[in-house]
Amino acid sequence: MAEHEDALVVRHVAERLTTAHPQLDARRVEAAVETAYEELQYARVRTYLPILMERRATDLLLSDEQTQSP
């Protein structure tokens, strides 16, 4: 059951970020959210997992954009 809930959280975070940043490729956003989830999946307190994932994924996306800029 926890895996199903986590999958829903990942999907919802990816949808929010895709909506918030329509200029970004949806696959990049999903990959960043997956990476954020992998980093945070063993957190003891899961209440804040969605917001922490969203913040981490945003950081990853911004970092990725800066790296790709000429």
Side-chain angles (χ1 to χ4, degrees), residues 5-25:
E5 291 174 7
D6 286 353
L8 286 174
V9 169
V10 168
R11 190 175 79 213
H12 287 255
V13 171
E15 287 172 358
R16 276 197 308 270
L17 284 175
T18 301
T19 301
H21 303 283
Q23 74 279 10
L24 298 176
D25 181 45

Side-chain angles (χ1 to χ4, degrees), residues 34-64:
E34 286 288 336
T35 299
Y37 172 73
E38 289 171 6
E39 293 175 0
L40 298 166
Q41 69 181 336
Y42 298 111
R44 284 197 217 169
V45 180
R46 306 202 42 92
T47 304
Y48 304 108
L49 188 61
I51 189 68
L52 294 173
M53 285 173 45
E54 188 168 341
R55 288 179 182 174
R56 178 62 180 137
T58 300
D59 288 346
L60 290 169
L61 290 167
L62 292 175
S63 162
D64 194 28

